[in-house]
Amino acid sequence: MEEVDKENLPKILIIDSDDEHLESLKKILSKLKVSIYEINSGDKAFSLLLRHEFILILLDVKMLGMDAQEIAQLILDNKKNNHIPVICMTTNNKDESQINQGYNLSAIDCLSKPINKDILLSKVEIFLHCFNKEKKGEKEKIQEELVNQLEEKNRELQKSQLAALNMMEDANEARAALVKLQAKELEQFAYTATHDLKTPINNIESYLTFLKKDTTINSEKSLIAIEWIDKSVDHCKKLIQNLVTVVKIKEESSFDISSIDVGSILKTVLGLLQSEIKQSKARINVDFKRCPKIRYSVPHLESLLLNLLSNAIKYRSSNRALEINISTVNEDGYSLLSVQDNGIGINVNRDREKVFGLFKRAHKDTDGTGMGIYIVNETLKKFGGKIELKSEVDKGATFMVYFKH
């Protein structure tokens, strides 16, 4: 800590071959807030002058070894030190040759030994005052430059922020225009899907009915083809219906929301899935005691449960009996509906986008349009709700649906 303080104080260098005089000068100057470096040989001066910046040098004219002339020349030759004021010390104030020698060394003043304490302190204080004043001026200049730089940076930042805000406004306008355009295109596509596509599909379905009734068709390949066409037609009809649903969700600004008894809606859905549940031998556990009612739209809640339960059945594991747990609780301003299964599970980190995306499926080895969960998610967003997924491969999946109170 002392070394750090010494380094931060103004530095004075005393060069005198008389050790006793060195100690005396050091004692006098110790009353000032300065850092004192004393050496008794000119040979040591070079090293110190390279490593430190001094505000004043006290130099004995009658030095031993490297004489005062050499030391003075060393100071003058170095650009780093040639501005440092030098006070020469002579042994006799009446010896004009020594005084002249001091001034010849480019000294700004001369003091004779024995050094008068008060005179020395007053002279050194003058240099210290000038130094502090100069440093203060430099500090104020630096501060002024920093303030100017900061103001300039602030102006640049304000310009950047303004440009960013303009870009955001432009982006928002572009996004709004794009949404309108997409909605219109989607609406046009839905119209095409419900009118232009329905007609040929209905024609195929009618012709398929005749083929099914034709008892002369006995070929195994023909029967397989008829079955495949039947499934494809059914898939197309579901796809068209889902597209229409997506458009309706995008266009609808409000829904008929009411407090719904979850148990009664689930009963309806289980009735619709009766055949699938029986075939899969699924065991379904229900717990609605903690939150028996949910504020939502009746048809949308039916669609949601139908999608989640049919997915649980569709993606069951062949290694264990299917078990589905359905429960509700109140949590942080939401009614939380959980549908948990022990099926094949999903790699959430890899396939999350596929689960919630349009026309995307995490598992491609089963039938589906890739729109069910997308529709559920988009509808929930309209209500201020959300859906989350937790899953591990070969352990099952849990869909957590949050309905705003």
Side-chain angles (χ1 to χ4, degrees):
M1 186 67 185
E2 292 181 0
E3 185 63 29
V4 173
D5 292 338
K6 184 178 180 181
E7 284 297 319
N8 291 331
L9 291 172
K11 299 171 185 177
I12 295 176
L13 175 61
I14 307 172
I15 308 172
D16 197 324
S17 55
D18 185 341
D19 289 337
E20 188 176 334
H21 194 249
L22 268 178
E23 192 61 35
S24 174
L25 290 173
K26 183 179 178 181
K27 187 176 181 181
I28 294 170
L29 295 177
S30 63
K31 297 179 180 180
L32 303 174
K33 288 185 178 180
V34 294
S35 180
I36 302 166
Y37 292 76
E38 71 278 0
I39 52 173
N40 58 9
S41 129
D43 299 322
K44 299 175 183 176
F46 183 69
S47 175
L48 282 174
L49 287 168
L50 287 177
R51 289 187 288 117
H52 301 283
E53 291 186 9
F54 296 98
I55 67 162
L56 179 65
I57 298 174
L58 299 177
L59 175 62
D60 181 17
V61 172
K62 294 296 182 180
M63 282 293 299
L64 300 176
M66 180 185 285
D67 63 18
Q69 181 65 45
E70 290 177 287
I71 296 170
Q73 195 61 48
L74 181 69
I75 296 169
L76 290 171
D77 289 345
N78 192 328
K79 289 183 180 180
K80 180 182 176 183
N81 305 311
N82 59 16
H83 67 283
I84 303 173
V86 177
I87 296 178
C88 283
M89 297 177 290
T90 66
T91 55
N92 191 337
N93 63 352
K94 294 180 180 180
D95 188 343
E96 291 186 5
S97 62
Q98 287 190 18
I99 296 172
N100 288 333
Q101 184 182 356
Y103 286 117
N104 288 335
L105 297 175
S106 299
I108 61 170
D109 202 355
C110 285
L111 295 174
S112 59
K113 297 179 181 180
I115 301 296
N116 182 291
K117 179 180 72 171
D118 295 329
I119 292 175
L120 175 63
L121 284 173
S122 64
K123 288 182 181 290
V124 173
E125 281 177 341
I126 289 171
F127 288 109
L128 188 60
H129 175 73
C130 292
F131 171 79
N132 289 332
K133 189 174 181 181
E134 183 181 347
K135 282 294 179 186
K136 184 179 179 183
E138 289 179 3
K139 185 178 179 182
E140 288 175 351
K141 186 177 179 181
I142 291 170
Q143 287 177 336
E144 185 179 352
E145 288 177 359
L146 287 173
V147 169
N148 291 336
Q149 289 177 13
L150 184 61
E151 288 177 350
E152 181 63 27
K153 290 294 181 185
N154 283 336
R155 284 193 290 271
E156 291 176 6
L157 182 61
Q158 287 173 355
K159 287 180 181 178
S160 299
Q161 288 175 334
L162 185 60
L165 285 172
N166 290 334
M167 287 176 66
M168 286 176 64
E169 287 178 4
D170 292 343
N172 288 334
E173 289 176 4
R175 192 180 295 111
L178 181 61
V179 169
K180 286 182 180 178
L181 180 62
Q182 288 175 334
K184 187 170 182 63
E185 289 177 347
L186 193 59
E187 184 181 356
Q188 291 173 346
F189 179 76
Y191 178 85
T192 302
T194 54
H195 292 80
D196 296 358
L197 292 179
K198 259 189 175 182
T199 300
I201 288 172
N202 287 338
N203 290 337
I204 294 171
E205 191 173 25
S206 297
Y207 184 66
L208 190 61
T209 303
F210 287 116
L211 290 176
K212 287 180 181 179
K213 291 179 179 180
D214 190 343
T215 56
T216 63
I217 301 175
N218 298 317
S219 168
E220 185 179 352
K221 288 184 179 180
S222 298
L223 292 172
I224 291 172
I226 291 171
E227 185 181 356
W228 179 83
I229 294 170
D230 192 21
K231 287 182 178 179
S232 297
V233 168
D234 187 57
H235 178 81
C236 288
K237 289 171 70 177
K238 287 179 180 177
L239 186 61
I240 290 170
Q241 186 56 46
N242 284 338
L243 282 170
V244 173
T245 303
V246 169
V247 173
K248 285 182 178 178
I249 292 169
K250 295 288 186 182
E251 290 181 340
E252 283 182 297
S253 58
S254 62
F255 298 95
D256 184 14
I257 301 174
S258 60
S259 182
I260 308 167
D261 184 86
V262 188
S264 64
I265 300 296
L266 178 62
K267 186 177 179 180
T268 302
V269 172
L270 293 178
L272 295 172
L273 293 172
Q274 186 176 1
S275 175
E276 289 88 341
I277 293 170
K278 186 177 181 180
Q279 184 183 354
S280 64
K281 298 179 181 179
R283 179 181 175 185
I284 299 176
N285 305 311
V286 178
D287 181 8
F288 297 147
K289 292 177 183 177
R290 289 172 289 180
C291 180
K293 292 190 176 183
I294 287 174
R295 283 188 58 77
Y296 203 49
S297 159
V298 172
H300 289 112
L301 184 58
E302 285 182 359
S303 175
L304 183 150
L305 284 169
L306 189 63
N307 268 293
L308 296 182
L309 290 176
S310 61
N311 279 347
I313 295 169
K314 189 186 300 180
Y315 301 115
R316 62 187 181 273
S317 172
S318 59
N319 299 324
R320 52 188 168 269
L322 175 60
E323 186 169 348
I324 303 172
N325 298 309
I326 310 169
S327 62
T328 53
V329 293
N330 287 308
E331 185 178 294
D332 299 329
Y334 290 94
S335 298
L336 170 59
L337 169 68
S338 296
V339 178
Q340 179 189 35
D341 65 60
N342 62 343
I344 59 176
I346 301 165
N347 186 328
V348 178
N349 293 330
R350 186 189 66 196
D351 296 328
R352 179 181 292 276
E353 200 173 309
K354 293 180 181 178
V355 174
F356 295 103
L358 183 61
F359 299 122
K360 294 181 179 180
R361 291 187 294 144
H363 302 289
K364 294 186 177 180
D365 53 349
T366 54
D367 293 331
T369 60
M371 298 179 69
I373 300 299
Y374 173 82
I375 292 171
V376 167
N377 192 27
E378 290 300 308
T379 309
L380 281 165
K381 287 179 184 177
K382 287 275 186 176
F383 284 92
K386 58 184 178 179
I387 183 169
E388 295 178 353
L389 168 64
K390 288 182 180 178
S391 181
E392 286 186 54
V393 176
D394 200 36
K395 288 191 177 180
T398 303
F399 282 92
M400 295 161 291
V401 187
Y402 293 82
F403 302 89
K404 200 76 175 175
H405 279 166

